[in-house]
Amino acid sequence: MSQKVAVLGTGKIGEALLSGMIRAGWTPADLLVTARRPERAEELRARHGVTPVTNGEAAKTADTLILTVKPQDMGTLLDELAPHVPADRLVISGAAGIPTSFFEERLASGTPVVRVMTNTPALVDEAMSVISAGTHASAEHLAHAEEIFGAVGKTLRVPESQQDACTALSGSGPAYFFYLVEAMTDAGILLGLPRDKAHDLIVQSAIGAAVMLRDSGEPPVKLRENVTSPAGTTINAIRELENHGVRAALIAALEAARDRSRELASGNN
């Protein structure tokens, strides 16, 4: 890969992205990083062979800037970058809730901006990254963003108007599954199983179910019905889930996550 890519504010997700890019063929010498703490920057250099730089140096040197700081820190970062970012730089934002217009208003006129919402399974190369184009981003820019984030999982293009919904579903999505596994593990302990055995049973069941959903081509209702025999154990469990309003609670939870994403976009941190 000949283009230089800089990851600014390199935390866990940023480091996972760097690691995935190197495995996918990027040369470490073409990857630049910035970090708030100098010791963190040196740690990244030692671990991956990438080059630590300042935010200003990244803006002047890299062809693509990936901004991975927290949403509440993005305005400060852009104030620092704006004098140094030429209009031909591709800027990729990984910040939840912040629209591409926020960047376009603060950077040189015509700067291409791509918005990406990824999630923590990037740490194990199983991310779901949702990609949207700003006003000046071309198909080539989107393809480049897909190439980068495809190194750590799957990518999907959507209109930016759908980003808040995608944040609720996949950006926050892993937490819902962890929450469910936590609750099921507690139930397993209540039913008399040791915690480690309950955990193993649930995790492998979750992996198997996910692979079936991905590979079978069947809708989830069909797969569930295949497990649900008349008057059996599963239908009794499903009845209790329905009685306790689990489906309605999930819908309400995702709506709340979407609404919070909209609040972040409006500056209500």
Side-chain angles (χ1 to χ4, degrees):
M1 308 295 176
S2 58
Q3 285 202 337
K4 286 192 178 294
V5 176
V7 180
L8 282 68
T10 312
K12 288 184 178 179
I13 296 295
E15 184 175 5
L17 187 58
L18 286 170
S19 179
M21 291 171 69
I22 291 168
R23 290 192 300 276
W26 268 268
T27 302
D30 289 332
L31 299 177
L32 311 178
V33 296
T34 77
R36 180 172 295 180
R37 295 179 293 107
E39 58 269 29
R40 169 62 174 165
E42 288 304 315
E43 180 182 281
L44 292 166
R45 184 206 297 269
R47 187 175 297 159
H48 303 290
V50 296
T51 304
V53 294
T54 66
N55 290 329
E57 289 170 338
K60 295 174 185 176
T61 306
D63 302 288
T64 300
L65 304 174
I66 305 174
L67 313 186
T68 62
V69 301
K70 295 178 181 179
Q72 57 267 34
D73 297 329
M74 192 62 78
T76 301
L77 176 61
L78 289 176
D79 288 341
E80 183 180 354
L81 293 178
H84 308 293
V85 179
D88 62 349
R89 294 289 190 268
L90 171 59
V91 175
I92 299 176
S93 165
I98 301 183
T100 55
S101 59
F102 181 89
F103 301 86
E104 292 166 350
E105 291 166 1
R106 288 162 175 80
L107 297 173
S109 178
T111 300
V113 180
V114 172
R115 178 175 171 183
V116 180
M117 171 49 59
T118 192
N119 57 17
T120 56
L123 298 169
V124 292
D125 291 348
E126 291 291 349
M128 182 69 252
S129 300
V130 183
I131 297 175
S132 301
T135 304
H136 309 293
S138 66
E140 182 179 354
H141 294 129
L142 286 173
H144 187 48
E146 287 175 332
E147 183 181 19
I148 291 171
F149 283 86
V152 292
K154 186 174 180 179
T155 65
L156 179 69
R157 293 189 195 184
V158 301
E160 189 170 11
S161 61
Q162 296 177 0
Q163 275 279 355
D164 292 323
C166 292
T167 297
L169 282 170
S170 67
S172 301
Y176 314 146
F177 290 103
F178 299 146
Y179 181 85
L180 179 61
V181 169
E182 180 186 0
M184 291 178 69
T185 300
D186 288 344
I189 294 168
L190 180 65
L191 296 174
L193 292 169
R195 178 176 293 275
D196 60 340
K197 288 185 170 58
H199 176 82
D200 289 347
L201 287 165
I202 294 159
V203 170
Q204 184 55 40
S205 296
I207 292 170
V211 171
M212 290 178 71
L213 280 166
R214 185 191 65 192
D215 296 347
S216 70
E218 298 283 359
V221 64
K222 176 63 175 175
L223 295 174
R224 179 183 62 77
E225 287 174 349
N226 290 343
V227 187
T228 310
S229 55
T233 59
T234 306
I235 192 60
N236 275 273
I238 296 295
R239 180 188 63 187
E240 289 302 314
L241 291 173
E242 294 291 352
N243 287 342
H244 286 81
V246 172
R247 188 186 301 264
L250 282 171
I251 293 171
L254 267 67
E255 287 179 330
R258 177 207 59 196
D259 293 345
R260 179 56 180 152
S261 183
R262 289 175 176 173
E263 288 176 0
L264 289 170
S266 66
N268 295 325
N269 297 329

